[in-house]
């Protein structure tokens, strides 16, 4: 979601950008290139990228899992804040979009911090659950196909260390989550997912009205 903040008017959003969302050179360059390519609204906004980078610094995260890479903007924002021994496992199945991602990761000098896993994300997650010992991620970012959010969340929670943070994008879904009788399958899934997450005693959550809505879930 790269077009403002759900519920914000254009003037307030412009003001927010004027006092925040400072981008590095390659982040800005990647965002500008993506803006002219198909699917541009799928990319997170600059202030979301800044927020993810800040979360990496605040949590001291070293091991990160990203579900949904697109053209690599969010992964780049996080990798730039990781320590030298930090690592991101980035899951996506689009070789064309991720080719651009890899180009910018290399330009920004963080390619060695990012391990791209091409293929269905659920298959990659299942493979990770077979590893011994089980991986323990410090932070997981979910921004992929909405119908699989419940499955990404459940598997991801098992791979998240206690005290680790999960960040889930698009939980406001352009305001559609307020619809009384939604016909769109993705809206239905997100409505139920949000209800279930609000009652999940395994985590403490906070929903941030940034971009298209981001849920932070801290594993107890």
């Amino acid at each position: 979601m790269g077009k403002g903040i759900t519920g914000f008017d254009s003037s307030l959003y412009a003001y927010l950008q004027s006092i925040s969302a400072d981008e590095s050179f390659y982040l800005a360059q990647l965002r500008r290139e993506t803006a002219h390519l198909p699917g541009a609204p799928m990319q997170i906004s600059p202030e979301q990228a800044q927020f993810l980078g800040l979360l990496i610094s605040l949590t001291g995260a070293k091991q990160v899992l990203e579900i949904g890479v697109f053209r690599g903007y969010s992964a780049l924002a996080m990798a730039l804040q990781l320590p030298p021994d930090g690592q991101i496992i980035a899951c996506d199945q689009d070789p064309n979009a991720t080719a651009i991602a890899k180009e910018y990761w290399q330009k920004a000098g963080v390619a060695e911090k990012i391990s791209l896993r091409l293929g269905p994300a659920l298959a990659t997650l299942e493979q990770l659950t077979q590893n011994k010992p089980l991986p323990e991620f410090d932070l997981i970012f979910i921004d992929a196909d909405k119908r699989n959010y419940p499955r990404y969340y459940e598997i991801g929670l098992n791979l998240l260390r206690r005290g680790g943070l999960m960040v889930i994008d698009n939980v406001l879904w352009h305001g559609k989550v307020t619809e009384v009788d939604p016909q769109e399958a993705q809206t239905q899934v997100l409505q139920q997912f949000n209800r279930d997450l609000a009652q999940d005693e395994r985590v403490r959550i906070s929903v941030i009205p940034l971009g298209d809505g981001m849920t932070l879930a801290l594993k107890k």
Side-chain angles (χ1 to χ4, degrees), residues 5-220:
I5 297 176
T6 296
F8 272 45
D9 64 26
S10 58
S11 61
L12 185 56
Y13 181 58
Y15 174 75
L16 182 146
Q17 287 193 308
S18 74
I19 60 170
S20 184
D22 183 31
E23 290 178 294
S24 70
F25 175 79
Y26 288 113
L27 275 172
Q29 192 176 62
L30 175 55
R31 179 174 54 83
R32 287 193 294 266
E33 179 174 339
T34 296
H36 302 292
L37 297 173
M42 292 170 56
Q43 182 168 272
I44 65 169
S45 62
E47 59 273 8
Q48 286 179 291
Q50 182 188 44
F51 184 59
L52 285 174
L54 183 63
L55 289 176
I56 294 292
S57 298
L58 285 171
T59 62
K62 290 186 177 182
Q63 299 300 317
V64 177
L65 175 64
E66 179 176 60
I67 303 170
V69 175
F70 192 43
R71 297 194 176 98
Y73 185 72
S74 52
L76 177 55
M78 292 188 287
L80 286 168
Q81 301 304 319
L82 283 175
D85 58 344
Q87 184 74 21
I88 299 174
I89 293 180
C91 308
D92 205 286
Q93 58 182 355
D94 186 342
N96 294 319
T98 54
I100 296 174
K102 290 190 290 185
E103 174 188 343
Y104 276 90
W105 297 341
Q106 189 68 44
K107 287 180 178 179
V110 297
E112 292 184 356
K113 294 182 180 180
I114 306 172
S115 174
L116 178 64
R117 307 290 177 89
L118 277 177
L122 285 173
T124 299
L125 294 177
E126 291 293 348
Q127 290 172 1
L128 289 171
T129 64
Q130 302 305 311
N131 290 351
K132 304 296 180 186
L134 192 70
E136 287 192 325
F137 291 97
D138 302 307
L139 187 145
I140 298 176
F141 179 48
I142 300 177
D143 184 17
D145 53 307
K146 312 313 169 193
R147 294 190 188 191
N148 278 315
Y149 264 30
R151 298 178 72 187
Y152 295 147
Y153 172 75
E154 286 298 331
I155 299 174
L157 197 61
N158 288 331
L159 296 170
L160 188 67
R161 66 168 175 82
R162 181 174 294 183
L165 185 66
M166 191 177 298
V167 184
I168 306 151
D169 195 24
N170 299 117
V171 296
L172 297 182
W173 200 227
H174 321 294
K176 294 180 183 179
V177 287
T178 64
E179 294 178 5
V180 175
D181 186 22
Q183 301 303 305
E184 183 187 66
Q186 294 183 100
T187 303
Q188 295 171 5
V189 169
L190 282 169
Q191 283 184 336
Q192 186 62 52
F193 176 72
N194 287 339
R195 286 193 294 266
D196 291 343
L197 193 52
Q199 302 299 320
D200 192 342
E201 296 185 353
R202 297 171 295 177
V203 295
R204 295 172 56 196
I205 73 165
S206 180
V207 180
I208 308 297
L210 192 63
D212 193 27
M214 304 175 82
T215 294
L216 309 184
L218 183 71
K219 185 175 179 179
K220 294 180 180 178

